[in-house]
Amino acid sequence: MASLSLTASFMQLLQRDLLLALRRRSELVSPLVFFVLVISLFTLGSGASATTLGMIAPGIFWVAALLAVLLGLEGIFRADFSDGSLEQLLLSGMPLSVLVLAKVTAHWLVTGLPLLLLAPLLSLMLRMHNDVVWVLMATLLLGTPVLSLVGAIGVALTVGLRQGGVLLAVLVLPLYAPILIFATQAVGFAADGLPVTAHLAILGACLAAALTLAPFAISAALRVGIN
Amino acid sequence: MWTIFHRWASPPYFYRQSTRLLPWLSAICALLIIAGLIGGLILAPSDYQQGESYRIIYIHVPSAWMSLFIYMVMASSGAIALIWRIKLAEVMLVASAPIGASFTLLALLTGVLWGKPMWGAWWVWDARLTSELLLLFLYLGIIALYNAIDDKRRAASAIAVLALVGVVNIPIIHYSVQWWSTLHQGPTVTKFGAPSIYIGMLIPLLLMALGFMLFYAISVLLRARTELLAREAASRWVREMLEEA
């Protein structure tokens, strides 16, 4: 065990999680279906006139993305917690923050990345302009990893609890507010033909901060949750 | 310095000292709040633009300050609890959460009451209101998480982590919301006229702020004492103290 290097253990855990996720394909698809559903329902509920859609499309898109990420979050640790492999990870002697980062990366690859790939299709439904779609995808690329990282802290805190789901939403959604604001504003600016570099830079800064700080918070939370 | 710190961290010492402190704190707090209320509601002149309704700031501003201050207290006691495993820091963290949530709610409600005559609407998506609302959600999340975990020492550590995560987010939330509202709103929001406030209005405000601070100290001590007794019900110092009484 001790012979494994950090990178090797990171890659192994990443591979294992991706493999497990690919074996349960229906679980992968549900958040995406949910994502498309929420966007369609918003559009149905607010009237599909082009002017309304143009105003609220970034908001709809990002709120739906938040909810879809939230829905898939529990999968990061729940299965590993119930079959005991999470405890083994804690006991493995490897730095927990690195292992946790591998799990979050795997989770983002199967939930965040598909949202990014769906974006061009859905932006057609929401009648977004072509140039805007690129900005939207850039915000998703920078923003959804932050959502996964911050959300994983919440999952780690609630992993052993009975009423996990709603509690997780209450803990995590307020922390998502800044990302929602910066991302939707960037898309809105792009639609008005204004420069968006500042917004993207801030989103990038959030990503850098989350990438460096969140793994430590996640592992601290896991240590609290599992004795 | 460290010996004082260590002594206060011991539950029996804390309990005995806080029994002696509480009457003094209560007396000073009552004096400050009475003086602040008289100064603010009667002596201070009315505002040339806002008339009499500006006087709600004597409740609103101190509670908004307290809502942030208490979160800072919670985050620092959370850090102390996680690093040094000091029980009293956990108790302080747990005891502070509902008080902080109440101050946040009070700040929001008084803000809403003040907004109706001033802005013509109960609720305006102003930067400060919005970030205060998000702060309330952070508080509620902490309380909900604490109640969801049965083992109370574990629950305290969990909310310590959450409080620390929140404290990193508070400035980000604050600036994001400020940026968002200044770009989307603009003319409907009238801030306090000039940044310099008349001295006759300022003194009562500071008195009220100090009074609120002491009120927080009193209520957190009361809650922490109850929490300590409940946690340490089986230990010797609690039994000895009960026998003395």
Side-chain angles (χ1 to χ4, degrees), chain A residues 148-168:
Chain A
S148 293
L149 284 162
V150 174
I153 303 174
V155 184
L157 283 171
T158 55
V159 72
L161 305 179
R162 266 165 280 123
Q163 41 139 323
V166 187
L167 187 61
L168 181 63

Side-chain angles (χ1 to χ4, degrees), chain B residues 104 108 123 125 128-138:
Chain B
T104 315
L108 277 175
W123 184 266
W125 287 96
R128 295 185 195 193
L129 278 172
T130 315
S131 50
E132 194 76 3
L133 183 67
L134 288 172
L135 182 65
L136 180 65
F137 288 138
L138 288 181

